[in-house]
Amino acid sequence: MSALTAEDKYRNFIPDESLKYLEKLFSEFDKDAIIEVYTRKGPHDEYNEFTLNLCHALATLTGKIKIFEYSLDSDMASKRGVDTTPTVLISPESYDIRFLGAPAGEEGRALIEALNLASRGTSIISDSTKEIMSKLDSKRHIKIFSSPTCPYCPGQAINAFKAAVVSPDKVSAWCISTLENSDLAEKYKVGSVPHTDFNNEISFIGLEAEEKFMTQLLFLKPLDDILKKQREIKKETGQKKNETDIDLVIIGSGPAGMSAGIYAKRSGLSCVILDKQGVGGQIALTPKVENYPGFPNVQGFDLVEILSTHAREYTEIKQFVEVLDIQYGERIKVVTDETTYHAKGILLATGVKVRMLGVPGEEKFYGHGVSYCATCDGNFYRGGKVLVIGGGNTAMTDALHLKKLGVETTIVHRGDSFRGEKVLQDAVAREEIEILWNCVVSEVLGEDQVVGARLKNTKDGSEFERETDGLFVAIGQTPNTVLAQKIGVKLCDDGFIEVDTSQRTNIERVYAAGDVTGGVRQIITATGQGAAAALTAFEDFNRFYADENKIPKNIW
């Protein structure tokens, strides 16, 4: 006879390394969080069992989680509008937050945060989200299509859950697992996750910063369209721009920009941080951060909230503000929709973006055969064949991951040897993954779906076609240097901004920090560079403007 109680068995369902974190989190719960699980016997029994075990295991850790089980044929299922198995509802009397499919793997993180939000409510939601959602005057139905292996899906689902908690009478938020709901995924043409749908009117691929997510949810439009419309309205109404004198304009609100804002203000400089996207830069899209000193394990959006709260104590961060023009002079003119800043100097902390192939067919099939995340989208290609493009650590890691999923995998690399670590090269050889050396993609082929790729040999220029169901692109990142190039900032051979040890560029009073400068692209180096740039600017401004003859007469 077993000595383990039912509670012991459920508790053992959770890994030891997660128990302390969960117990601490649950100790901060306020009101009860209710879980309703709906199941029906059949082909999804394995998913049903996992879901019930996980939910019961969580309930053993705190008295604040209550679990109720219902059959899909029950009156309660009919009342709740539940028709798939398994389905998990979170505090359904208060919110329409639900999981269609087992919250397994990475999706489990979204379940934990859904319970946290259901118990603690708006007290753990940012003021900016509350402000944006306060303007919502009609219903919103959010569907987040996810995969257990996708590290970015929980962040997008949590964005949706926050919207539902702030506006429970207007917002429903569903996290839909593509594994058990392939019919829904096909209906909504899901080819990459996270795939977000608002009201069956507009959809997005990928994880988005929280404020950007909320703004697009409010307007039911992509952010670029929102900003464009706002510019048109201002032009039509003849609104005059504000003219503002300022010491330092910081462009970019990632770790480098926020750190610079803190140090600039503490040095006595007036400054503002401008960002076209939401606060946080790449860190806002990072599922888990484990290498930032003082935070052994923190989710990216949580670290963003900590950094941005700190930065806002010192300086204003203006989100969704696009810099339209920069004109260099003794005062540097920075032009936005609403304001023209006359600055002593500017700091470029504009970050990086995923490097694309730039070939015909790539944009057309993005999210539907062309992907930049193997862990997110690999499950879509089980039993199929794919090409992995690249020759570094990421490309080899992606290839190994796909091969283990049962995908026929081929690496396409422009060179004749890999750049990545020896251990990964050995693993690729051991798995007998095919490699097409000295080849690049010149076109992605297909009409309604990807059927192949045209490849070019980099040595003899010959071209040939290769059948494939999809392409995974892993060729690194490219810096955002459009503004830098506009004013003549010198770039390195690899396209990143060239700076000295004090973050100065080749142009006086123009500085750069963070990932846009290349090198070791880590959060800790970005914050250090941002701080250094602000202190350098303080020293330079004192020297440059000490000579009264250099003071622009039309400003002072």
Side-chain angles (χ1 to χ4, degrees), residues 431-488:
E431 293 294 329
E432 298 182 342
I433 294 174
E434 182 185 12
I435 305 164
L436 298 178
W437 300 108
N438 304 306
C439 288
V440 295
V441 176
S442 58
E443 185 178 1
V444 182
L445 304 174
E447 291 295 332
D448 299 323
Q449 64 183 35
V450 172
V451 297
R454 180 171 288 112
L455 304 178
K456 181 179 180 179
N457 186 290
T458 58
K459 287 196 170 182
D460 61 23
S462 62
E463 290 192 337
F464 61 98
E465 293 182 3
R466 183 68 177 257
E467 287 187 7
T468 187
D469 298 304
L471 288 82
F472 287 86
V473 181
I475 56 175
Q477 297 172 319
T478 183
N480 296 314
T481 58
V482 172
L483 293 174
Q485 293 181 72
K486 184 176 182 61
I487 55 176

Side-chain angles (χ1 to χ4, degrees), residues 191-208:
S192 184
V193 291
H195 177 112
T196 302
D197 180 273
F198 294 157
N199 282 22
N200 301 332
E201 293 183 29
I202 183 171
S203 61
F204 307 91
I205 297 172
L207 174 60
E208 294 167 319

Side-chain angles (χ1 to χ4, degrees), residues 359-381:
V359 301
E362 180 181 21
E363 186 175 347
K364 174 183 177 180
F365 290 110
Y366 169 54
H368 301 282
V370 175
S371 175
Y372 303 89
C373 179
T375 55
C376 301
D377 302 331
N379 282 313
F380 289 108
Y381 298 90

Side-chain angles (χ1 to χ4, degrees), residues 384-405:
K385 57 178 68 173
V386 301
L387 301 178
V388 175
I389 318 302
N393 287 342
T394 301
M396 288 189 287
T397 301
D398 286 355
L400 290 165
H401 171 73
L402 291 161
K403 183 68 180 291
K404 289 180 181 179
L405 289 176

Side-chain angles (χ1 to χ4, degrees), residues 5-35:
T5 65
E7 183 173 332
D8 290 333
K9 292 178 181 178
Y10 282 130
R11 190 180 180 90
N12 289 339
F13 192 78
I14 299 175
D16 289 341
E17 59 268 23
S18 300
L19 282 174
K20 284 188 178 180
Y21 167 77
L22 291 175
E23 287 173 340
K24 181 179 184 303
L25 177 69
F26 294 161
S27 70
E28 298 170 352
F29 273 22
D30 182 11
K31 60 185 178 182
D32 287 349
I34 308 300
I35 301 177

Side-chain angles (χ1 to χ4, degrees), residues 216-499:
Q216 294 178 145
L217 178 64
L218 174 64
F219 289 98
L220 291 178
K221 292 181 180 179
L223 180 60
D224 285 345
D225 291 352
I226 297 169
L227 296 177
K228 181 181 178 181
K229 184 64 176 178
Q230 289 176 345
R231 283 198 296 270
E232 290 174 353
I233 292 173
K234 288 170 186 174
K235 186 176 181 179
E236 290 172 0
T237 57
Q239 293 183 26
K240 291 186 177 180
K241 291 183 179 180
N242 299 319
E243 300 276 338
T244 299
D245 294 341
I246 198 166
D247 290 328
L248 183 66
V249 172
I250 301 166
I251 305 173
S253 64
M258 288 191 285
S259 175
I262 294 170
Y263 275 80
K265 197 69 175 181
R266 287 177 63 88
S267 298
L269 299 179
S270 60
C271 67
V272 66
I273 301 174
L274 308 177
D275 201 309
K276 180 180 176 181
Q277 306 293 328
V279 170
Q282 290 289 313
I283 185 178
L285 308 179
T286 303
K288 187 183 295 184
V289 177
E290 298 178 317
N291 59 355
Y292 191 73
F295 298 88
N297 188 330
V298 61
Q299 294 182 13
F301 53 80
D302 286 339
L303 185 54
V304 167
E305 184 66 21
I306 293 168
L307 292 174
S308 62
T309 298
H310 189 186
R312 284 189 173 104
E313 291 179 4
Y314 289 92
T315 188
E316 184 178 13
I317 302 176
K318 291 196 171 187
Q319 301 178 87
F320 316 129
V321 173
E322 183 176 6
V323 175
L324 304 175
D325 192 21
I326 298 178
Q327 298 174 21
Y328 187 78
E330 291 190 24
R331 281 278 182 160
I332 302 173
K333 184 186 292 187
V334 180
V335 182
T336 72
D337 282 329
E338 295 183 351
T339 305
T340 295
Y341 296 93
H342 300 277
K344 293 180 179 178
I346 61 172
L347 168 59
L348 300 169
T350 46
V352 296
K353 58 187 175 184
V354 171
R355 186 183 299 277
M356 301 178 70
L357 296 170
V359 301
E362 180 181 21
E363 186 175 347
K364 174 183 177 180
F365 290 110
Y366 169 54
H368 301 282
V370 175
S371 175
Y372 303 89
C373 179
T375 55
C376 301
D377 302 331
N379 282 313
F380 289 108
Y381 298 90
R382 290 178 184 269
K385 57 178 68 173
V386 301
L387 301 178
V388 175
I389 318 302
N393 287 342
T394 301
M396 288 189 287
T397 301
D398 286 355
L400 290 165
H401 171 73
L402 291 161
K403 183 68 180 291
K404 289 180 181 179
L405 289 176
V407 182
E408 185 180 325
T409 305
T410 300
I411 297 176
V412 178
H413 181 37
R414 65 167 52 246
D416 55 11
S417 62
F418 285 127
R419 303 185 306 273
E421 296 173 0
K422 180 67 162 55
V423 64
L424 291 174
Q425 296 184 40
D426 292 343
V428 167
R430 191 164 53 248
E431 293 294 329
E432 298 182 342
I433 294 174
E434 182 185 12
I435 305 164
L436 298 178
W437 300 108
N438 304 306
C439 288
V440 295
V441 176
S442 58
E443 185 178 1
V444 182
L445 304 174
E447 291 295 332
D448 299 323
Q449 64 183 35
V450 172
V451 297
R454 180 171 288 112
L455 304 178
K456 181 179 180 179
N457 186 290
T458 58
K459 287 196 170 182
D460 61 23
S462 62
E463 290 192 337
F464 61 98
E465 293 182 3
R466 183 68 177 257
E467 287 187 7
T468 187
D469 298 304
L471 288 82
F472 287 86
V473 181
I475 56 175
Q477 297 172 319
T478 183
N480 296 314
T481 58
V482 172
L483 293 174
Q485 293 181 72
K486 184 176 182 61
I487 55 176
V489 170
K490 185 178 180 181
L491 305 182
C492 301
D493 292 340
D494 57 6
F496 291 85
I497 295 178
E498 183 177 300
V499 293

